[in-house]
């Protein structure tokens, strides 16, 4: 195929197309569900109505004029690329970031790839005895991320499209309040935007995670829980009370010495998570909560947030403060 021509028609760098071509090779893709079944599946995936309507309207039917040959190639090979790493657990961009303002096919191409992989990963889950309820709760992070991206006017998707490949490869599982991420010797913890981070909810999720991985992935040995997040930044203690949920969450972890993360800006991640915007001026951001005020005051003073790494033994008892 003409990689240079395909890249030009997609409006992306040629090396991004070459990467997809090399990683996907001639590996098998996977079909999308039937269009007639899509509304029910999107509902199970918690996709908001506005996004579901767009996804159905842009469906890659054989006769759809929205889907050019290069878009169909990218969809097929992105599915193959992700499917080839089923069971993997590192971040995996499914393909290049597309100019999403060019139409529904462009805007939701990686959503269609996700939908094609739902049955693939559910098969992987069944092979590991993962309950169907856990499968759907985990995969419904698609709807949560689409809602966030809509709120962010498209600013969130470049990160989300890679994040969501973890779900359809069997790497991430939503177990109560936290998402648990398979890894090398440690279960990584992610904190979705899903209500208060109460100590009781965190403890229950950790207990569920311990039992889940011992039961469904017995050949994998985990010695610790780990987390990388701005939520572990000790500077938050300058602003938040000691009995706040965030500070009590922090106290579970032993922090690694700080190192500037490569390719990650903690200030950006804080704004993304707390305010769901990357472009609103600081003096126009809301200040309704102690956390919002802390973020704005810290950045307004010319200071920066840190992305910190921490862990604690998997068999560590819940701290007294969290009971």
């Amino acid at each position: 195929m003409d990689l240079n021509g395909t890249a030009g028609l997609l409006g992306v760098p040629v090396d991004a197309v070459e990467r997809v071509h090399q990683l996907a090779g001639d590996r098998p893709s996977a079909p999308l569900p039937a269009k007639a079944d899509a509304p029910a599946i999107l509902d199970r995936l918690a996709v908001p109505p506005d996004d579901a309507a767009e996804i159905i309207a842009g469906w890659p039917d054989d006769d759809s004029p929205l889907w050019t040959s290069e878009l169909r190639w990218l969809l097929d090979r992105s599915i193959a690329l992700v499917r080839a790493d089923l069971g993997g657990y590192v971040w995996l961009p499914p393909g290049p970031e597309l100019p999403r303002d060019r139409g529904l096919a462009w805007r939701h191409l990686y959503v269609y790839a996700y939908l094609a992989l739902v049955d693939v990963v559910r098969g992987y889950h069944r092979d590991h005895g993962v309950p169907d309820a856990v499968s759907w709760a985990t995969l419904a992070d698609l709807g949560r991320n689409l809602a966030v991206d809509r709120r962010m006017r498209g600013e969130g998707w470049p990160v989300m499209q890679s994040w969501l490949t973890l779900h359809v490869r069997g790497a991430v599982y939503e177990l109560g309040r936290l998402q648990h991420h398979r890894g090398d010797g440690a279960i990584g913890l992610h904190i979705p935007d899903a209500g208060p981070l109460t100590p009781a909810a965190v403890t229950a999720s950790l207990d569920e995670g311990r039992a889940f991985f011992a039961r469904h992935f017995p050949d994998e040995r985990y010695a610790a829980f780990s987390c990388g997040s701005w939520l572990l930044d000790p500077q938050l203690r300058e602003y938040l009370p000691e009995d706040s949920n965030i500070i009590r969450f922090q106290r579970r972890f032993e922090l690694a010495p700080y190192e500037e993360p490569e390719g990650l800006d903690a200030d950006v991640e804080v704004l993304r998570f707390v305010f769901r915007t990357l472009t609103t001026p600081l003096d126009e951001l809301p200040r309704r909560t102690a956390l919002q005020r802390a973020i704005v005051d810290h950045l307004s003073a010319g200071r920066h947030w840190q992305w910190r790494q921490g862990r604690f033994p998997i068999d560590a008892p819940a701290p007294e403060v969290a009971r």
Side-chain angles (χ1 to χ4, degrees):
M1 63 173 294
D2 178 6
L3 297 181
N4 285 289
T6 298
L9 291 168
L10 290 172
V12 301
V14 67
D15 60 350
V17 172
E18 289 174 343
R19 173 185 173 273
V20 173
H21 181 63
Q22 291 169 0
L23 291 181
D26 59 358
R27 295 176 174 85
S29 184
L32 269 75
K35 187 176 181 179
D37 297 331
I41 294 171
L42 293 171
D43 185 61
R44 294 209 72 174
L45 296 175
V47 174
D50 287 348
D51 291 297
E54 286 191 357
I55 291 164
I56 297 298
W59 199 261
D61 296 314
D62 291 342
D63 58 351
S64 172
L66 302 175
W67 286 84
T68 61
S69 59
E70 61 273 7
L71 283 175
R72 292 185 186 278
W73 174 85
L74 180 58
L75 174 60
D76 180 77
R77 291 300 82 199
S78 294
I79 295 168
L81 185 159
V82 177
R83 183 176 186 173
D85 196 49
L86 185 67
Y89 48 76
V90 300
W91 281 66
L92 180 67
E97 181 183 345
L98 295 175
R100 298 173 71 225
D101 58 354
R102 291 178 64 174
L104 296 179
W106 300 77
R107 187 177 309 158
H108 295 302
L109 186 141
Y110 295 115
V111 174
Y112 298 115
Y114 188 99
L115 294 175
L117 291 161
V118 164
D119 273 353
V120 173
V121 77
R122 289 185 65 223
Y124 178 85
H125 288 172
R126 287 191 295 271
D127 289 345
H128 288 271
V130 174
D132 213 35
V134 173
S135 294
W136 285 112
T138 299
L139 293 170
D141 204 27
L142 173 67
R144 181 188 291 137
N145 279 269
L146 285 171
V148 169
D149 182 62
R150 182 173 287 269
R151 181 179 168 189
M152 294 182 68
R153 303 178 185 274
E155 293 176 323
W157 192 252
V159 173
M160 295 171 186
Q161 69 182 39
S162 296
W163 159 246
L164 289 166
T165 69
L166 295 168
H167 304 60
V168 290
R169 286 182 290 138
V172 165
Y173 296 89
E174 188 153 329
L175 305 171
R177 181 61 184 86
L178 304 174
Q179 292 164 320
H180 297 241
H181 186 171
R182 295 171 44 237
D184 290 323
I187 299 168
L189 301 175
H190 303 282
I191 306 96
D193 187 1
L197 191 67
T198 65
V202 171
T203 295
S205 183
L206 296 175
D207 288 343
E208 192 172 348
R210 293 182 184 98
F212 179 88
F213 287 96
R215 181 181 304 118
H216 301 295
F217 295 90
D219 295 334
E220 298 180 6
R221 296 288 182 262
Y222 294 109
F225 287 108
S226 66
C227 184
S229 176
W230 60 269
L231 283 167
L232 298 185
D233 188 344
Q235 296 177 105
L236 285 167
R237 299 184 185 186
E238 299 176 30
Y239 304 94
L240 303 180
E242 284 297 307
D243 62 352
S244 71
N245 288 335
I246 290 176
I247 301 306
R248 287 187 287 185
F249 182 73
Q250 284 189 357
R251 282 204 288 265
R252 295 175 184 266
F253 294 86
E254 179 179 345
L255 294 183
Y258 178 65
E259 294 183 4
E260 190 76 27
E262 184 177 349
L264 191 152
D265 187 327
D267 292 343
V268 170
E269 297 309 312
V270 170
L271 293 171
R272 184 195 310 278
F273 191 92
V274 177
F275 298 104
R276 299 307 189 189
T277 179
L278 303 180
T279 55
T280 304
L282 291 178
D283 59 2
E284 295 180 15
L285 292 172
R287 297 174 57 87
R288 290 186 293 271
T289 69
L291 180 59
Q292 289 175 341
R293 292 189 293 273
I295 301 308
V296 172
D297 290 346
H298 193 82
L299 294 175
S300 296
R303 301 174 68 188
H304 297 283
W305 295 105
Q306 298 177 355
W307 188 271
R308 298 301 298 267
Q309 301 283 342
R311 63 170 51 207
F312 58 89
I314 197 167
D315 56 358
E320 189 65 30
V321 69
R323 293 188 184 280

